[in-house]
Amino acid sequence: MAIDTLSSPESPDLARADIVAQLKGRGSIHSPEVAAAFAKVPREKFAPEAPSIAAAYSAMDAVVTNRDASGKATSSVSAPWLQAEMLEAALLTRGARVLEIGSGGYNAALIAEIVGPEGLVVTMDIDPFVTERATRFLTETGYPQVRVVLGDAEHIGDDDGLNDAILVTVGPWDCPWGAPARPGRPDGRAAAVPCQVGVLRRPACPSRSTSAC
């Protein structure tokens, strides 16, 4: 007897369709480009630590991927609602050049879907555990074009204006990444979208698309 994987409770296809509906319903997704990215990228492949497909696609929950000796989480795949709102805030377009600070692979794959093959996605992290698995998962899921870089992004600037957007998916204590002039954007500036700027929560990255999530 054939199994209907689409209607199975543990079907990734069904889970992707459901997460898009949930995120649209709560207002986290409002553009067709972001919706299409979430509908296509297999989140479960980037979060094998999740105990189930349902847990991997829980709209409000991150999936912890590594812990230190004390049990404190040191890396995770961020909650879908947060990723969706950051992507919407960045106003990404086809062909954009995007730098992601803080890797994991899944969010970079979402970005790659939005900017398309003519765009450029670079994702950077200071932890070799994170970059190794990000490289592996991106290759296995069909996104080998995403550049994964191991290093400290604290002193990386954008003085040459090459990035259309900088997404900060870590919790920095400050936001040293400026937003240089970028004629291709309506506001003439690159989008710097920090997930959180420590306890400061201030618009340290001047841009119309700055968001402290």
Side-chain angles (χ1 to χ4, degrees), residues 110-151:
L110 294 173
I111 297 169
E113 281 292 334
I114 296 170
V115 304
E118 59 269 49
L120 174 65
V121 181
V122 178
T123 181
M124 186 173 191
D125 202 282
I126 197 171
D127 187 343
F129 169 83
V130 173
T131 55
E132 185 281 326
R133 59 183 277 140
T135 300
R136 176 160 43 90
F137 293 156
L138 285 163
T139 300
E140 292 173 352
T141 55
Y143 301 95
Q145 76 276 19
V146 175
R147 291 177 53 194
V148 181
V149 179
L150 173 63

PDB file of all heavy atoms in Angstrom, residues 110-151:
ATOM      1  N   LEU A 110      17.470  30.166   2.617  1.00  0.00           N
ATOM      2  CA  LEU A 110      16.299  31.013   2.373  1.00  0.00           C
ATOM      3  C   LEU A 110      16.686  32.251   1.579  1.00  0.00           C
ATOM      4  O   LEU A 110      16.012  32.636   0.613  1.00  0.00           O
ATOM      5  CB  LEU A 110      15.657  31.426   3.706  1.00  0.00           C
ATOM      6  CG  LEU A 110      15.014  30.332   4.561  1.00  0.00           C
ATOM      7  CD1 LEU A 110      14.601  30.906   5.915  1.00  0.00           C
ATOM      8  CD2 LEU A 110      13.804  29.724   3.857  1.00  0.00           C
ATOM      9  N   ILE A 111      17.790  32.873   1.984  1.00  0.00           N
ATOM     10  CA  ILE A 111      18.272  34.066   1.287  1.00  0.00           C
ATOM     11  C   ILE A 111      18.616  33.720  -0.164  1.00  0.00           C
ATOM     12  O   ILE A 111      18.281  34.461  -1.091  1.00  0.00           O
ATOM     13  CB  ILE A 111      19.501  34.653   2.005  1.00  0.00           C
ATOM     14  CG1 ILE A 111      19.131  35.123   3.417  1.00  0.00           C
ATOM     15  CG2 ILE A 111      20.092  35.814   1.201  1.00  0.00           C
ATOM     16  CD1 ILE A 111      20.330  35.471   4.280  1.00  0.00           C
ATOM     17  N   ALA A 112      19.285  32.579  -0.352  1.00  0.00           N
ATOM     18  CA  ALA A 112      19.676  32.158  -1.699  1.00  0.00           C
ATOM     19  C   ALA A 112      18.460  31.971  -2.598  1.00  0.00           C
ATOM     20  O   ALA A 112      18.493  32.299  -3.790  1.00  0.00           O
ATOM     21  CB  ALA A 112      20.494  30.869  -1.631  1.00  0.00           C
ATOM     22  N   GLU A 113      17.388  31.454  -2.042  1.00  0.00           N
ATOM     23  CA  GLU A 113      16.160  31.293  -2.823  1.00  0.00           C
ATOM     24  C   GLU A 113      15.611  32.651  -3.252  1.00  0.00           C
ATOM     25  O   GLU A 113      15.140  32.823  -4.373  1.00  0.00           O
ATOM     26  CB  GLU A 113      15.108  30.546  -2.006  1.00  0.00           C
ATOM     27  CG  GLU A 113      15.299  29.049  -1.947  1.00  0.00           C
ATOM     28  CD  GLU A 113      15.077  28.373  -3.298  1.00  0.00           C
ATOM     29  OE1 GLU A 113      14.331  28.916  -4.140  1.00  0.00           O
ATOM     30  OE2 GLU A 113      15.662  27.295  -3.510  1.00  0.00           O
ATOM     31  N   ILE A 114      15.676  33.626  -2.356  1.00  0.00           N
ATOM     32  CA  ILE A 114      15.107  34.945  -2.641  1.00  0.00           C
ATOM     33  C   ILE A 114      15.943  35.704  -3.664  1.00  0.00           C
ATOM     34  O   ILE A 114      15.399  36.299  -4.603  1.00  0.00           O
ATOM     35  CB  ILE A 114      14.975  35.759  -1.340  1.00  0.00           C
ATOM     36  CG1 ILE A 114      13.979  35.073  -0.386  1.00  0.00           C
ATOM     37  CG2 ILE A 114      14.518  37.192  -1.644  1.00  0.00           C
ATOM     38  CD1 ILE A 114      13.957  35.674   1.002  1.00  0.00           C
ATOM     39  N   VAL A 115      17.249  35.685  -3.525  1.00  0.00           N
ATOM     40  CA  VAL A 115      18.103  36.475  -4.426  1.00  0.00           C
ATOM     41  C   VAL A 115      18.373  35.757  -5.741  1.00  0.00           C
ATOM     42  O   VAL A 115      18.795  36.383  -6.722  1.00  0.00           O
ATOM     43  CB  VAL A 115      19.430  36.860  -3.756  1.00  0.00           C
ATOM     44  CG1 VAL A 115      19.179  37.607  -2.462  1.00  0.00           C
ATOM     45  CG2 VAL A 115      20.318  35.640  -3.509  1.00  0.00           C
ATOM     46  N   GLY A 116      18.141  34.447  -5.779  1.00  0.00           N
ATOM     47  CA  GLY A 116      18.287  33.702  -7.014  1.00  0.00           C
ATOM     48  C   GLY A 116      19.725  33.423  -7.397  1.00  0.00           C
ATOM     49  O   GLY A 116      20.664  33.872  -6.722  1.00  0.00           O
ATOM     50  N   PRO A 117      19.921  32.695  -8.501  1.00  0.00           N
ATOM     51  CA  PRO A 117      21.276  32.317  -8.921  1.00  0.00           C
ATOM     52  C   PRO A 117      22.143  33.501  -9.329  1.00  0.00           C
ATOM     53  O   PRO A 117      23.369  33.417  -9.330  1.00  0.00           O
ATOM     54  CB  PRO A 117      21.030  31.373 -10.103  1.00  0.00           C
ATOM     55  CG  PRO A 117      19.664  31.719 -10.587  1.00  0.00           C
ATOM     56  CD  PRO A 117      18.894  32.114  -9.366  1.00  0.00           C
ATOM     57  N   GLU A 118      21.498  34.614  -9.679  1.00  0.00           N
ATOM     58  CA  GLU A 118      22.270  35.796 -10.053  1.00  0.00           C
ATOM     59  C   GLU A 118      22.720  36.610  -8.851  1.00  0.00           C
ATOM     60  O   GLU A 118      23.492  37.558  -8.987  1.00  0.00           O
ATOM     61  CB  GLU A 118      21.461  36.680 -11.011  1.00  0.00           C
ATOM     62  CG  GLU A 118      20.136  37.175 -10.464  1.00  0.00           C
ATOM     63  CD  GLU A 118      18.969  36.266 -10.772  1.00  0.00           C
ATOM     64  OE1 GLU A 118      19.086  35.047 -10.548  1.00  0.00           O
ATOM     65  OE2 GLU A 118      17.921  36.779 -11.211  1.00  0.00           O
ATOM     66  N   GLY A 119      22.246  36.259  -7.664  1.00  0.00           N
ATOM     67  CA  GLY A 119      22.648  36.941  -6.443  1.00  0.00           C
ATOM     68  C   GLY A 119      23.873  36.288  -5.822  1.00  0.00           C
ATOM     69  O   GLY A 119      24.419  35.317  -6.345  1.00  0.00           O
ATOM     70  N   LEU A 120      24.310  36.838  -4.687  1.00  0.00           N
ATOM     71  CA  LEU A 120      25.466  36.293  -3.964  1.00  0.00           C
ATOM     72  C   LEU A 120      25.146  36.277  -2.480  1.00  0.00           C
ATOM     73  O   LEU A 120      24.733  37.292  -1.916  1.00  0.00           O
ATOM     74  CB  LEU A 120      26.717  37.140  -4.208  1.00  0.00           C
ATOM     75  CG  LEU A 120      27.954  36.749  -3.387  1.00  0.00           C
ATOM     76  CD1 LEU A 120      28.443  35.360  -3.780  1.00  0.00           C
ATOM     77  CD2 LEU A 120      29.065  37.776  -3.566  1.00  0.00           C
ATOM     78  N   VAL A 121      25.343  35.122  -1.855  1.00  0.00           N
ATOM     79  CA  VAL A 121      25.107  34.978  -0.419  1.00  0.00           C
ATOM     80  C   VAL A 121      26.397  34.511   0.236  1.00  0.00           C
ATOM     81  O   VAL A 121      26.968  33.487  -0.149  1.00  0.00           O
ATOM     82  CB  VAL A 121      23.979  33.973  -0.122  1.00  0.00           C
ATOM     83  CG1 VAL A 121      23.751  33.879   1.397  1.00  0.00           C
ATOM     84  CG2 VAL A 121      22.705  34.361  -0.846  1.00  0.00           C
ATOM     85  N   VAL A 122      26.858  35.275   1.229  1.00  0.00           N
ATOM     86  CA  VAL A 122      28.013  34.890   2.036  1.00  0.00           C
ATOM     87  C   VAL A 122      27.539  34.794   3.477  1.00  0.00           C
ATOM     88  O   VAL A 122      26.943  35.739   4.011  1.00  0.00           O
ATOM     89  CB  VAL A 122      29.153  35.921   1.930  1.00  0.00           C
ATOM     90  CG1 VAL A 122      30.314  35.515   2.828  1.00  0.00           C
ATOM     91  CG2 VAL A 122      29.618  36.060   0.482  1.00  0.00           C
ATOM     92  N   THR A 123      27.783  33.660   4.115  1.00  0.00           N
ATOM     93  CA  THR A 123      27.393  33.479   5.512  1.00  0.00           C
ATOM     94  C   THR A 123      28.643  33.216   6.336  1.00  0.00           C
ATOM     95  O   THR A 123      29.497  32.420   5.956  1.00  0.00           O
ATOM     96  CB  THR A 123      26.363  32.338   5.662  1.00  0.00           C
ATOM     97  OG1 THR A 123      26.000  32.205   7.050  1.00  0.00           O
ATOM     98  CG2 THR A 123      26.897  31.015   5.159  1.00  0.00           C
ATOM     99  N   MET A 124      28.778  33.901   7.462  1.00  0.00           N
ATOM    100  CA  MET A 124      30.020  33.890   8.237  1.00  0.00           C
ATOM    101  C   MET A 124      29.747  33.567   9.703  1.00  0.00           C
ATOM    102  O   MET A 124      28.759  34.021  10.282  1.00  0.00           O
ATOM    103  CB  MET A 124      30.691  35.260   8.125  1.00  0.00           C
ATOM    104  CG  MET A 124      32.053  35.350   8.771  1.00  0.00           C
ATOM    105  SD  MET A 124      32.830  36.944   8.384  1.00  0.00           S
ATOM    106  CE  MET A 124      34.487  36.644   8.946  1.00  0.00           C
ATOM    107  N   ASP A 125      30.639  32.776  10.293  1.00  0.00           N
ATOM    108  CA  ASP A 125      30.504  32.441  11.708  1.00  0.00           C
ATOM    109  C   ASP A 125      31.884  32.222  12.306  1.00  0.00           C
ATOM    110  O   ASP A 125      32.822  31.810  11.607  1.00  0.00           O
ATOM    111  CB  ASP A 125      29.644  31.193  11.892  1.00  0.00           C
ATOM    112  CG  ASP A 125      29.038  31.113  13.279  1.00  0.00           C
ATOM    113  OD1 ASP A 125      29.754  30.727  14.239  1.00  0.00           O
ATOM    114  OD2 ASP A 125      27.836  31.446  13.431  1.00  0.00           O
ATOM    115  N   ILE A 126      32.010  32.469  13.604  1.00  0.00           N
ATOM    116  CA  ILE A 126      33.291  32.333  14.299  1.00  0.00           C
ATOM    117  C   ILE A 126      33.538  30.905  14.784  1.00  0.00           C
ATOM    118  O   ILE A 126      34.640  30.548  15.159  1.00  0.00           O
ATOM    119  CB  ILE A 126      33.326  33.315  15.499  1.00  0.00           C
ATOM    120  CG1 ILE A 126      34.758  33.520  15.988  1.00  0.00           C
ATOM    121  CG2 ILE A 126      32.414  32.835  16.623  1.00  0.00           C
ATOM    122  CD1 ILE A 126      34.875  34.626  17.020  1.00  0.00           C
ATOM    123  N   ASP A 127      32.499  30.072  14.757  1.00  0.00           N
ATOM    124  CA  ASP A 127      32.575  28.716  15.305  1.00  0.00           C
ATOM    125  C   ASP A 127      32.749  27.695  14.174  1.00  0.00           C
ATOM    126  O   ASP A 127      31.878  27.554  13.321  1.00  0.00           O
ATOM    127  CB  ASP A 127      31.289  28.416  16.077  1.00  0.00           C
ATOM    128  CG  ASP A 127      31.341  27.098  16.835  1.00  0.00           C
ATOM    129  OD1 ASP A 127      32.215  26.265  16.533  1.00  0.00           O
ATOM    130  OD2 ASP A 127      30.484  26.900  17.717  1.00  0.00           O
ATOM    131  N   PRO A 128      33.872  26.946  14.167  1.00  0.00           N
ATOM    132  CA  PRO A 128      34.084  25.955  13.110  1.00  0.00           C
ATOM    133  C   PRO A 128      33.038  24.850  13.096  1.00  0.00           C
ATOM    134  O   PRO A 128      32.753  24.271  12.041  1.00  0.00           O
ATOM    135  CB  PRO A 128      35.489  25.411  13.400  1.00  0.00           C
ATOM    136  CG  PRO A 128      35.742  25.740  14.832  1.00  0.00           C
ATOM    137  CD  PRO A 128      35.015  27.023  15.091  1.00  0.00           C
ATOM    138  N   PHE A 129      32.466  24.537  14.257  1.00  0.00           N
ATOM    139  CA  PHE A 129      31.384  23.553  14.298  1.00  0.00           C
ATOM    140  C   PHE A 129      30.223  24.024  13.438  1.00  0.00           C
ATOM    141  O   PHE A 129      29.622  23.248  12.681  1.00  0.00           O
ATOM    142  CB  PHE A 129      30.917  23.341  15.743  1.00  0.00           C
ATOM    143  CG  PHE A 129      29.631  22.552  15.867  1.00  0.00           C
ATOM    144  CD1 PHE A 129      29.650  21.163  15.842  1.00  0.00           C
ATOM    145  CD2 PHE A 129      28.406  23.204  15.994  1.00  0.00           C
ATOM    146  CE1 PHE A 129      28.468  20.445  15.943  1.00  0.00           C
ATOM    147  CE2 PHE A 129      27.232  22.479  16.093  1.00  0.00           C
ATOM    148  CZ  PHE A 129      27.258  21.100  16.072  1.00  0.00           C
ATOM    149  N   VAL A 130      29.910  25.299  13.538  1.00  0.00           N
ATOM    150  CA  VAL A 130      28.783  25.866  12.798  1.00  0.00           C
ATOM    151  C   VAL A 130      29.073  25.923  11.301  1.00  0.00           C
ATOM    152  O   VAL A 130      28.234  25.543  10.478  1.00  0.00           O
ATOM    153  CB  VAL A 130      28.451  27.275  13.334  1.00  0.00           C
ATOM    154  CG1 VAL A 130      27.395  27.948  12.464  1.00  0.00           C
ATOM    155  CG2 VAL A 130      27.970  27.187  14.778  1.00  0.00           C
ATOM    156  N   THR A 131      30.259  26.401  10.940  1.00  0.00           N
ATOM    157  CA  THR A 131      30.559  26.551   9.516  1.00  0.00           C
ATOM    158  C   THR A 131      30.719  25.204   8.813  1.00  0.00           C
ATOM    159  O   THR A 131      30.335  25.059   7.648  1.00  0.00           O
ATOM    160  CB  THR A 131      31.825  27.401   9.300  1.00  0.00           C
ATOM    161  OG1 THR A 131      32.918  26.838  10.038  1.00  0.00           O
ATOM    162  CG2 THR A 131      31.595  28.827   9.763  1.00  0.00           C
ATOM    163  N   GLU A 132      31.255  24.210   9.527  1.00  0.00           N
ATOM    164  CA  GLU A 132      31.415  22.886   8.909  1.00  0.00           C
ATOM    165  C   GLU A 132      30.060  22.298   8.557  1.00  0.00           C
ATOM    166  O   GLU A 132      29.846  21.799   7.443  1.00  0.00           O
ATOM    167  CB  GLU A 132      32.178  21.960   9.858  1.00  0.00           C
ATOM    168  CG  GLU A 132      32.508  20.587   9.275  1.00  0.00           C
ATOM    169  CD  GLU A 132      31.347  19.614   9.275  1.00  0.00           C
ATOM    170  OE1 GLU A 132      30.520  19.660  10.220  1.00  0.00           O
ATOM    171  OE2 GLU A 132      31.244  18.811   8.319  1.00  0.00           O
ATOM    172  N   ARG A 133      29.142  22.357   9.503  1.00  0.00           N
ATOM    173  CA  ARG A 133      27.835  21.764   9.233  1.00  0.00           C
ATOM    174  C   ARG A 133      27.039  22.611   8.256  1.00  0.00           C
ATOM    175  O   ARG A 133      26.277  22.070   7.451  1.00  0.00           O
ATOM    176  CB  ARG A 133      27.059  21.506  10.517  1.00  0.00           C
ATOM    177  CG  ARG A 133      26.796  22.716  11.369  1.00  0.00           C
ATOM    178  CD  ARG A 133      26.079  22.368  12.658  1.00  0.00           C
ATOM    179  NE  ARG A 133      24.648  22.262  12.481  1.00  0.00           N
ATOM    180  CZ  ARG A 133      23.875  21.348  13.045  1.00  0.00           C
ATOM    181  NH1 ARG A 133      24.401  20.415  13.804  1.00  0.00           N
ATOM    182  NH2 ARG A 133      22.566  21.338  12.838  1.00  0.00           N
ATOM    183  N   ALA A 134      27.201  23.921   8.291  1.00  0.00           N
ATOM    184  CA  ALA A 134      26.501  24.771   7.335  1.00  0.00           C
ATOM    185  C   ALA A 134      26.939  24.440   5.908  1.00  0.00           C
ATOM    186  O   ALA A 134      26.115  24.310   5.003  1.00  0.00           O
ATOM    187  CB  ALA A 134      26.762  26.238   7.641  1.00  0.00           C
ATOM    188  N   THR A 135      28.254  24.292   5.719  1.00  0.00           N
ATOM    189  CA  THR A 135      28.780  23.932   4.404  1.00  0.00           C
ATOM    190  C   THR A 135      28.214  22.593   3.940  1.00  0.00           C
ATOM    191  O   THR A 135      27.775  22.443   2.793  1.00  0.00           O
ATOM    192  CB  THR A 135      30.316  23.852   4.444  1.00  0.00           C
ATOM    193  OG1 THR A 135      30.845  25.119   4.831  1.00  0.00           O
ATOM    194  CG2 THR A 135      30.872  23.467   3.084  1.00  0.00           C
ATOM    195  N   ARG A 136      28.215  21.642   4.847  1.00  0.00           N
ATOM    196  CA  ARG A 136      27.740  20.293   4.507  1.00  0.00           C
ATOM    197  C   ARG A 136      26.253  20.294   4.172  1.00  0.00           C
ATOM    198  O   ARG A 136      25.827  19.733   3.147  1.00  0.00           O
ATOM    199  CB  ARG A 136      28.037  19.354   5.685  1.00  0.00           C
ATOM    200  CG  ARG A 136      27.525  17.940   5.524  1.00  0.00           C
ATOM    201  CD  ARG A 136      28.279  17.002   6.473  1.00  0.00           C
ATOM    202  NE  ARG A 136      28.455  17.578   7.806  1.00  0.00           N
ATOM    203  CZ  ARG A 136      27.599  17.427   8.814  1.00  0.00           C
ATOM    204  NH1 ARG A 136      26.487  16.721   8.631  1.00  0.00           N
ATOM    205  NH2 ARG A 136      27.853  17.941  10.010  1.00  0.00           N
ATOM    206  N   PHE A 137      25.454  20.935   5.004  1.00  0.00           N
ATOM    207  CA  PHE A 137      24.008  20.935   4.787  1.00  0.00           C
ATOM    208  C   PHE A 137      23.616  21.724   3.533  1.00  0.00           C
ATOM    209  O   PHE A 137      22.708  21.325   2.795  1.00  0.00           O
ATOM    210  CB  PHE A 137      23.285  21.505   6.000  1.00  0.00           C
ATOM    211  CG  PHE A 137      23.388  20.652   7.242  1.00  0.00           C
ATOM    212  CD1 PHE A 137      23.235  21.211   8.503  1.00  0.00           C
ATOM    213  CD2 PHE A 137      23.646  19.293   7.152  1.00  0.00           C
ATOM    214  CE1 PHE A 137      23.327  20.433   9.644  1.00  0.00           C
ATOM    215  CE2 PHE A 137      23.750  18.496   8.294  1.00  0.00           C
ATOM    216  CZ  PHE A 137      23.582  19.075   9.541  1.00  0.00           C
ATOM    217  N   LEU A 138      24.292  22.840   3.287  1.00  0.00           N
ATOM    218  CA  LEU A 138      23.992  23.630   2.092  1.00  0.00           C
ATOM    219  C   LEU A 138      24.306  22.835   0.824  1.00  0.00           C
ATOM    220  O   LEU A 138      23.544  22.879  -0.153  1.00  0.00           O
ATOM    221  CB  LEU A 138      24.774  24.940   2.119  1.00  0.00           C
ATOM    222  CG  LEU A 138      24.249  26.002   3.087  1.00  0.00           C
ATOM    223  CD1 LEU A 138      25.301  27.075   3.341  1.00  0.00           C
ATOM    224  CD2 LEU A 138      22.961  26.630   2.543  1.00  0.00           C
ATOM    225  N   THR A 139      25.403  22.100   0.833  1.00  0.00           N
ATOM    226  CA  THR A 139      25.765  21.282  -0.325  1.00  0.00           C
ATOM    227  C   THR A 139      24.757  20.154  -0.522  1.00  0.00           C
ATOM    228  O   THR A 139      24.294  19.894  -1.640  1.00  0.00           O
ATOM    229  CB  THR A 139      27.177  20.702  -0.150  1.00  0.00           C
ATOM    230  OG1 THR A 139      28.114  21.779  -0.034  1.00  0.00           O
ATOM    231  CG2 THR A 139      27.559  19.827  -1.332  1.00  0.00           C
ATOM    232  N   GLU A 140      24.400  19.501   0.570  1.00  0.00           N
ATOM    233  CA  GLU A 140      23.476  18.361   0.493  1.00  0.00           C
ATOM    234  C   GLU A 140      22.079  18.764   0.038  1.00  0.00           C
ATOM    235  O   GLU A 140      21.360  17.954  -0.563  1.00  0.00           O
ATOM    236  CB  GLU A 140      23.394  17.665   1.859  1.00  0.00           C
ATOM    237  CG  GLU A 140      24.678  16.957   2.269  1.00  0.00           C
ATOM    238  CD  GLU A 140      24.625  16.433   3.693  1.00  0.00           C
ATOM    239  OE1 GLU A 140      23.658  16.741   4.428  1.00  0.00           O
ATOM    240  OE2 GLU A 140      25.568  15.705   4.081  1.00  0.00           O
ATOM    241  N   THR A 141      21.679  19.995   0.315  1.00  0.00           N
ATOM    242  CA  THR A 141      20.324  20.441  -0.035  1.00  0.00           C
ATOM    243  C   THR A 141      20.258  21.246  -1.326  1.00  0.00           C
ATOM    244  O   THR A 141      19.200  21.764  -1.679  1.00  0.00           O
ATOM    245  CB  THR A 141      19.713  21.266   1.120  1.00  0.00           C
ATOM    246  OG1 THR A 141      20.604  22.348   1.454  1.00  0.00           O
ATOM    247  CG2 THR A 141      19.485  20.401   2.349  1.00  0.00           C
ATOM    248  N   GLY A 142      21.389  21.372  -2.019  1.00  0.00           N
ATOM    249  CA  GLY A 142      21.361  22.019  -3.318  1.00  0.00           C
ATOM    250  C   GLY A 142      21.709  23.488  -3.348  1.00  0.00           C
ATOM    251  O   GLY A 142      21.346  24.191  -4.300  1.00  0.00           O
ATOM    252  N   TYR A 143      22.452  23.970  -2.329  1.00  0.00           N
ATOM    253  CA  TYR A 143      22.853  25.377  -2.293  1.00  0.00           C
ATOM    254  C   TYR A 143      24.375  25.522  -2.162  1.00  0.00           C
ATOM    255  O   TYR A 143      24.863  26.277  -1.319  1.00  0.00           O
ATOM    256  CB  TYR A 143      22.158  26.095  -1.126  1.00  0.00           C
ATOM    257  CG  TYR A 143      20.654  26.036  -1.216  1.00  0.00           C
ATOM    258  CD1 TYR A 143      19.943  25.051  -0.539  1.00  0.00           C
ATOM    259  CD2 TYR A 143      19.948  26.948  -1.997  1.00  0.00           C
ATOM    260  CE1 TYR A 143      18.561  24.970  -0.628  1.00  0.00           C
ATOM    261  CE2 TYR A 143      18.565  26.874  -2.092  1.00  0.00           C
ATOM    262  CZ  TYR A 143      17.879  25.884  -1.406  1.00  0.00           C
ATOM    263  OH  TYR A 143      16.514  25.812  -1.514  1.00  0.00           O
ATOM    264  N   PRO A 144      25.139  24.831  -2.999  1.00  0.00           N
ATOM    265  CA  PRO A 144      26.603  24.908  -2.888  1.00  0.00           C
ATOM    266  C   PRO A 144      27.158  26.267  -3.274  1.00  0.00           C
ATOM    267  O   PRO A 144      28.322  26.566  -2.988  1.00  0.00           O
ATOM    268  CB  PRO A 144      27.077  23.819  -3.876  1.00  0.00           C
ATOM    269  CG  PRO A 144      25.994  23.771  -4.910  1.00  0.00           C
ATOM    270  CD  PRO A 144      24.721  23.982  -4.127  1.00  0.00           C
ATOM    271  N   GLN A 145      26.333  27.100  -3.914  1.00  0.00           N
ATOM    272  CA  GLN A 145      26.804  28.428  -4.334  1.00  0.00           C
ATOM    273  C   GLN A 145      26.938  29.392  -3.168  1.00  0.00           C
ATOM    274  O   GLN A 145      27.594  30.432  -3.279  1.00  0.00           O
ATOM    275  CB  GLN A 145      25.862  29.024  -5.394  1.00  0.00           C
ATOM    276  CG  GLN A 145      24.531  29.561  -4.861  1.00  0.00           C
ATOM    277  CD  GLN A 145      23.457  28.502  -4.697  1.00  0.00           C
ATOM    278  OE1 GLN A 145      23.759  27.312  -4.631  1.00  0.00           O
ATOM    279  NE2 GLN A 145      22.202  28.935  -4.674  1.00  0.00           N
ATOM    280  N   VAL A 146      26.310  29.081  -2.034  1.00  0.00           N
ATOM    281  CA  VAL A 146      26.430  29.934  -0.850  1.00  0.00           C
ATOM    282  C   VAL A 146      27.847  29.806  -0.295  1.00  0.00           C
ATOM    283  O   VAL A 146      28.339  28.708  -0.056  1.00  0.00           O
ATOM    284  CB  VAL A 146      25.411  29.539   0.232  1.00  0.00           C
ATOM    285  CG1 VAL A 146      25.641  30.349   1.505  1.00  0.00           C
ATOM    286  CG2 VAL A 146      23.986  29.749  -0.271  1.00  0.00           C
ATOM    287  N   ARG A 147      28.512  30.941  -0.097  1.00  0.00           N
ATOM    288  CA  ARG A 147      29.879  30.942   0.435  1.00  0.00           C
ATOM    289  C   ARG A 147      29.835  30.944   1.961  1.00  0.00           C
ATOM    290  O   ARG A 147      29.255  31.836   2.570  1.00  0.00           O
ATOM    291  CB  ARG A 147      30.643  32.163  -0.062  1.00  0.00           C
ATOM    292  CG  ARG A 147      30.961  32.131  -1.558  1.00  0.00           C
ATOM    293  CD  ARG A 147      31.655  33.409  -1.976  1.00  0.00           C
ATOM    294  NE  ARG A 147      32.819  33.696  -1.145  1.00  0.00           N
ATOM    295  CZ  ARG A 147      33.441  34.865  -1.109  1.00  0.00           C
ATOM    296  NH1 ARG A 147      32.997  35.877  -1.854  1.00  0.00           N
ATOM    297  NH2 ARG A 147      34.489  35.044  -0.336  1.00  0.00           N
ATOM    298  N   VAL A 148      30.447  29.942   2.567  1.00  0.00           N
ATOM    299  CA  VAL A 148      30.505  29.842   4.026  1.00  0.00           C
ATOM    300  C   VAL A 148      31.919  30.219   4.460  1.00  0.00           C
ATOM    301  O   VAL A 148      32.897  29.631   3.996  1.00  0.00           O
ATOM    302  CB  VAL A 148      30.163  28.420   4.503  1.00  0.00           C
ATOM    303  CG1 VAL A 148      30.207  28.368   6.032  1.00  0.00           C
ATOM    304  CG2 VAL A 148      28.786  28.001   3.987  1.00  0.00           C
ATOM    305  N   VAL A 149      32.018  31.206   5.357  1.00  0.00           N
ATOM    306  CA  VAL A 149      33.312  31.730   5.787  1.00  0.00           C
ATOM    307  C   VAL A 149      33.466  31.558   7.293  1.00  0.00           C
ATOM    308  O   VAL A 149      32.579  31.934   8.059  1.00  0.00           O
ATOM    309  CB  VAL A 149      33.456  33.222   5.416  1.00  0.00           C
ATOM    310  CG1 VAL A 149      34.798  33.767   5.898  1.00  0.00           C
ATOM    311  CG2 VAL A 149      33.305  33.418   3.912  1.00  0.00           C
ATOM    312  N   LEU A 150      34.599  31.006   7.714  1.00  0.00           N
ATOM    313  CA  LEU A 150      34.930  30.892   9.134  1.00  0.00           C
ATOM    314  C   LEU A 150      35.743  32.112   9.537  1.00  0.00           C
ATOM    315  O   LEU A 150      36.805  32.389   8.966  1.00  0.00           O
ATOM    316  CB  LEU A 150      35.743  29.620   9.385  1.00  0.00           C
ATOM    317  CG  LEU A 150      36.313  29.446  10.801  1.00  0.00           C
ATOM    318  CD1 LEU A 150      35.194  29.334  11.833  1.00  0.00           C
ATOM    319  CD2 LEU A 150      37.231  28.216  10.850  1.00  0.00           C
ATOM    320  N   GLY A 151      35.260  32.884  10.531  1.00  0.00           N
ATOM    321  CA  GLY A 151      35.997  34.052  10.990  1.00  0.00           C
ATOM    322  C   GLY A 151      35.160  34.940  11.872  1.00  0.00           C
ATOM    323  O   GLY A 151      33.957  34.731  12.049  1.00  0.00           O
TER     324      GLY A 151
END
